[in-house]
Amino acid sequence: MATNNKLKAYVRYDGTGRVIAGSLILQRFKPKVGNWKEINANECCNPSPLPSNCIEFVVDTTEGTFFGFSFTTTGPINFTVDWGDGTTHPDAGAGGFYSESHTYPQSNQQYVVRICFDDINSVIEFTSSPD
């Protein structure tokens, strides 16, 4: 029996049909509450080839330079965040909930963030949250 181990990308829409800023999440199943839509990876991510253990997305600092994300794992994990502005952050943990944040040096810019995990299959939910 095949299992669904891959994360899917979802964004949430407001009442006018526009994507809610910062609503991109990566998880296995569509959230049950809210107006969520599954999107193609090319709509949220850089289409260049990525290692299979990485995710990549664009952070737009038009509305602020602070960006954070969180994720949950089923077990121990090592990961590295490349914030896209020349800053990288390696981290590791025994598993569970992780929260990372970064303040960008310039507003009104776009930065490509890449996060690489030693075991991406242990990531069960990923949520971004610009503040």
Side-chain angles (χ1 to χ4, degrees):
M1 175 194 282
T3 59
N4 185 0
N5 289 329
K6 297 201 183 263
L7 297 176
K8 297 178 184 177
Y10 299 95
V11 291
R12 196 172 71 179
Y13 288 84
D14 65 13
T16 66
R18 292 168 39 184
V19 173
I20 296 173
S23 70
L24 171 68
I25 62 170
L26 301 171
Q27 59 187 39
R28 290 186 181 145
F29 304 102
K30 182 178 178 180
K32 295 182 182 195
V33 177
N35 188 13
W36 292 92
K37 178 184 174 191
E38 183 177 349
I39 61 172
N40 291 325
N42 290 344
E43 292 181 59
C44 70
C45 307
N46 186 337
S48 65
L50 278 177
S52 61
N53 64 323
C54 299
I55 60 172
E56 189 174 84
F57 51 90
V58 175
V59 172
D60 186 333
T61 61
T62 302
E63 294 184 21
T65 57
F66 180 83
F67 180 79
F69 66 87
S70 60
F71 62 93
T72 306
T73 68
T74 58
I77 196 157
N78 295 297
F79 62 96
T80 300
V81 182
D82 178 343
W83 291 103
D85 63 355
T87 306
T88 58
H89 174 71
D91 208 342
F97 179 80
Y98 297 86
S99 180
E100 300 287 333
S101 63
H102 184 69
T103 301
Y104 286 97
Q106 291 184 304
S107 59
N108 299 315
Q109 300 290 319
Q110 290 188 336
Y111 298 93
V112 177
V113 177
R114 180 181 283 191
I115 308 162
C116 295
F117 303 92
D118 65 341
D119 180 13
I120 198 165
N121 289 323
S122 73
V123 178
I124 55 175
E125 184 174 359
F126 180 95
T127 305
S128 65
S129 58
D131 290 328

